[in-house]
Amino acid sequence: MKLKLAFLVATALIAAPSLSMAQEKGGVINVATIGEPPTLDPMVSTADLVGIVTQHIFETLYTFDTSWKVTPLLAESLPEISADGKTYTIKLRTGIKFHDGSDMTSEDVLASLQRWTKLASRGKQAAGFIESIAAADPATVTIKLKQPYAPLVSLLAFNNSAAIVVPAEKQAEPMTEFVGTGPYMLKERKADQYIQLARFEGYKPRSGESDGYGGARHQYLDEIRFVPVPDPNTRVEAAVSGQYDYVDSIPVESFDKLKASSASAPMLLKPFGYPVFVFNTKEGLSSKLEVRKAITQALSMEDMLAAAFGSKDFYALDGAFYPSNYGWHTEAGVEGNYNLAAPEKAAEALKAAGYNGEPLRILTSRQYEFHYKMAQVAAEYLKLAGFKVDMQVVDWATLTQRRTDPKLWDIYITHSPFLPEPALIGALSTSSPGWWDTPARKAAVDPFTSEADPAKRVALWANVQKTIYDELPLIKIGDFNAVAAKSKKLEGVDPAPWPYFWNASIKK
């Protein structure tokens, strides 16, 4: 049974759809986000905030259902895969309109996938395996691979560095017109004030029931407004007072306060994912493996988690990249490399590595308050190990821009939900900030991504995790649960790693 779950999440991250006897049509909701997205082009960003907003505007060929299985979205069905695993034939839905009124055809999909393989980190990850992409007929796209590549359909389904479909004539770099096929279209954007989306009347939903990110997407709301609220305490007070209909990323210590609110209710996504420290392996101090090992040796994951989340109701000390109830779970590489909390030994290792007092630049943001709290604890342990710590606290949009320049940082702090396919983990892509690209990475990752057999892929993933611990392109801090808040008048919204508001309605 465990092997059968290898591609799935044993505990679904997306709740089953909320059922309402008759959801009301109309109205506007205001969604408080952690800040201003750095772009509205989801191909060029791996920031969750970008995906949360743009998944309402743009769509991909595939997406994920409540069990994290890949399911068709703009594709008519799952791809037909040749016996040798190297040819994917994708039938497209017909009658799909873009927001400009034009019809979607295979030429648009072809141009979009070519742009994706050129610009998107996930697309670049796939590009090395792709021999050709062709429009076979107006409703069929064919992807031919150089060798089998098991994660391809999951990469096409992911809303992060997403393979969105946009009109062939609107492929500008950078994107200048934000025209998709989604249930909502961009109406207005005022920087640092709001992003206003309006119902797209020409939208053609899939038939059948809603199913996580898949199935029918209903357009009950007239408009969705995403409002940046960078300060976490302001988000808490806004949630308690009912100022917004949905508030993302609430500090977990506010859970009880939210429970007492008459206007809003807390939403707990358990388990959500894991915070990580990503190393710059390309340039600077952390490009040296000996220095990365010293940093890892110094840190107390337990103290960082306690500072960030307080109660163990909201975190778990766990070095495996998937918890024990996931099919991908393995302990490979964890023992002796996780939660060492040994700054004195780290100091010896640092001296042996030839450290000369250069600043260790840690890039973090207070918009995710738990990132900042972990950074504070990490800084103290690293100082004990002899590092000169330069903690750079910036807004999230600046962080996502700065991390693309290897000259500007040594560590940046982020987090990820548990993903249905380990190949979706950003650090496995050599073009992802961190730029992990070594012979050992290739020797571990390539066999994993080219193997089609689920049982064999589980064993190969164990080798990838061990290699991550051997080479330390990033370090996992632990597992955590996420808290959000929604108005008691808001229906059709369930806990999800990237909250979505098609299917949402306002109770009159």
Side-chain angles (χ1 to χ4, degrees):
M1 182 63 182
K2 189 170 186 179
L3 297 182
K4 289 179 182 178
L5 291 172
F7 292 100
L8 310 179
V9 178
T11 304
L13 291 186
I14 313 170
S18 289
L19 298 177
S20 172
M21 291 302 291
Q23 285 179 254
E24 300 277 354
K25 194 164 186 177
V28 176
I29 65 165
N30 291 287
V31 178
T33 64
I34 62 103
E36 178 79 6
T39 178
L40 290 184
D41 180 355
M43 278 197 194
V44 300
S45 178
T46 58
D48 286 343
L49 179 56
V50 174
I52 289 169
V53 176
T54 61
Q55 66 187 339
H56 299 82
I57 305 170
F58 303 105
E59 294 181 314
T60 46
L61 293 170
Y62 303 98
T63 188
F64 297 102
D65 66 13
T66 51
S67 300
W68 280 122
K69 289 185 291 186
V70 174
T71 189
L73 185 54
L74 290 176
E76 182 61 43
S77 55
L78 292 174
E80 299 171 16
I81 305 174
S82 61
D84 64 2
K86 293 196 286 187
T87 301
Y88 286 61
T89 302
I90 300 171
K91 297 291 184 181
L92 306 176
R93 293 168 63 203
T94 57
I96 300 298
K97 296 279 188 186
F98 288 110
H99 297 158
D100 63 2
S102 62
D103 293 309
M104 183 193 78
T105 71
S106 59
E107 294 296 334
D108 302 302
V109 176
L110 171 60
S112 298
L113 291 180
Q114 288 172 335
R115 185 179 190 269
W116 180 66
T117 56
K118 179 182 178 183
L119 298 183
S121 62
R122 314 284 182 189
K124 292 175 185 177
Q125 189 175 340
F129 297 87
I130 294 174
E131 183 176 288
S132 65
I133 309 171
D137 62 49
T140 308
V141 171
T142 303
I143 301 175
K144 292 189 176 180
L145 303 177
K146 300 171 185 175
Q147 64 185 71
Y149 184 58
L152 179 61
V153 182
S154 291
L155 286 167
L156 292 172
F158 202 27
N159 76 346
N160 180 296
S161 190
I164 57 167
V165 177
V166 297
E169 66 275 12
K170 291 180 167 62
Q171 302 282 329
E173 304 169 17
M175 186 179 284
T176 54
E177 296 180 76
F178 301 92
V179 177
T181 61
Y184 290 86
M185 54 195 292
L186 180 63
K187 182 176 180 180
E188 185 178 22
R189 180 182 187 181
K190 286 198 172 183
D192 298 315
Q193 293 185 51
Y194 59 80
I195 296 167
Q196 185 179 14
L197 308 185
R199 182 194 293 117
F200 173 42
E201 298 296 351
Y203 183 67
K204 184 180 179 181
R206 295 194 70 92
S207 58
E209 297 294 323
S210 301
D211 188 4
Y213 295 97
R217 294 181 169 186
H218 300 293
Q219 303 163 282
Y220 298 117
L221 299 169
D222 294 332
E223 292 184 2
I224 306 167
R225 294 179 186 171
F226 293 94
V227 182
V229 184
D231 183 73
N233 294 322
T234 304
R235 290 200 300 278
V236 171
E237 295 307 319
V240 171
S241 67
Q243 182 180 350
Y244 297 97
D245 300 282
Y246 186 95
V247 181
D248 195 28
S249 192
I250 300 283
V252 293
E253 61 267 25
S254 304
F255 189 81
D256 290 337
K257 189 173 184 178
L258 279 170
K259 283 175 69 176
S261 168
S262 60
S264 302
M267 300 176 70
L268 184 66
L269 187 56
K270 181 180 181 178
F272 174 84
Y274 53 95
V276 289
F277 284 21
V278 180
F279 289 114
N280 180 352
T281 68
K282 192 173 187 177
E283 292 186 28
L285 192 56
S286 65
S287 64
K288 298 177 181 177
L289 178 58
E290 296 81 5
V291 172
R292 300 199 297 274
K293 286 183 175 180
I295 291 168
T296 306
Q297 191 171 29
L299 295 177
S300 168
M301 282 36 173
E302 189 166 14
D303 284 357
M304 285 191 284
L305 290 167
F309 302 107
S311 168
K312 288 187 177 179
D313 291 341
F314 300 108
Y315 74 87
L317 193 65
D318 184 7
F321 277 82
Y322 285 88
S324 59
N325 61 337
Y326 283 64
W328 293 110
H329 174 74
T330 174
E331 293 292 333
V334 176
E335 188 175 357
N337 293 305
Y338 175 76
N339 192 39
L340 301 178
E344 299 86 0
K345 290 183 179 179
E348 295 172 11
L350 196 58
K351 186 176 180 180
Y355 176 67
N356 290 317
E358 306 97 318
L360 178 68
R361 299 161 298 173
I362 301 176
L363 196 55
T364 190
S365 171
R366 295 201 71 164
Q367 284 160 264
Y368 292 109
E369 185 72 3
F370 66 97
H371 291 187
Y372 176 69
K373 289 179 177 178
M374 288 187 299
Q376 287 182 304
V377 173
E380 295 309 311
Y381 274 93
L382 292 169
K383 288 172 187 175
L384 289 173
F387 281 100
K388 180 181 178 182
V389 177
D390 175 14
M391 192 157 74
Q392 301 180 5
V393 184
V394 298
D395 64 84
W396 187 247
T398 300
L399 185 148
T400 61
Q401 290 166 350
R402 225 180 252 188
R403 70 184 178 185
T404 64
D405 187 341
K407 298 185 184 303
L408 298 181
W409 59 278
D410 300 302
I411 296 171
Y412 82 85
I413 301 175
T414 187
H415 65 270
S416 171
F418 296 113
L419 301 169
E421 159 62 63
L424 298 175
I425 295 172
L428 300 192
S429 170
T430 56
S431 63
S432 182
W435 305 283
W436 182 36
D437 190 5
T438 65
R441 186 214 72 91
K442 185 175 177 59
V445 173
D446 284 4
F448 169 67
T449 56
S450 61
E451 177 58 61
D453 183 277
K456 292 178 181 177
R457 293 194 79 221
V458 171
L460 289 166
W461 163 245
N463 189 44
V464 175
Q465 181 175 289
K466 181 182 181 300
T467 305
I468 291 173
Y469 271 102
D470 287 343
E471 297 214 326
L472 298 172
L474 76 167
I475 50 177
K476 180 188 172 188
I477 310 304
D479 301 341
F480 77 102
N481 307 326
V483 177
K486 72 172 181 176
S487 165
K488 292 182 178 179
K489 294 180 180 179
L490 187 62
E491 295 186 324
V493 177
D494 295 287
W498 306 282
Y500 54 91
F501 303 98
W502 58 82
N503 301 338
S505 65
I506 301 169
K507 185 163 51 179
K508 302 290 173 63

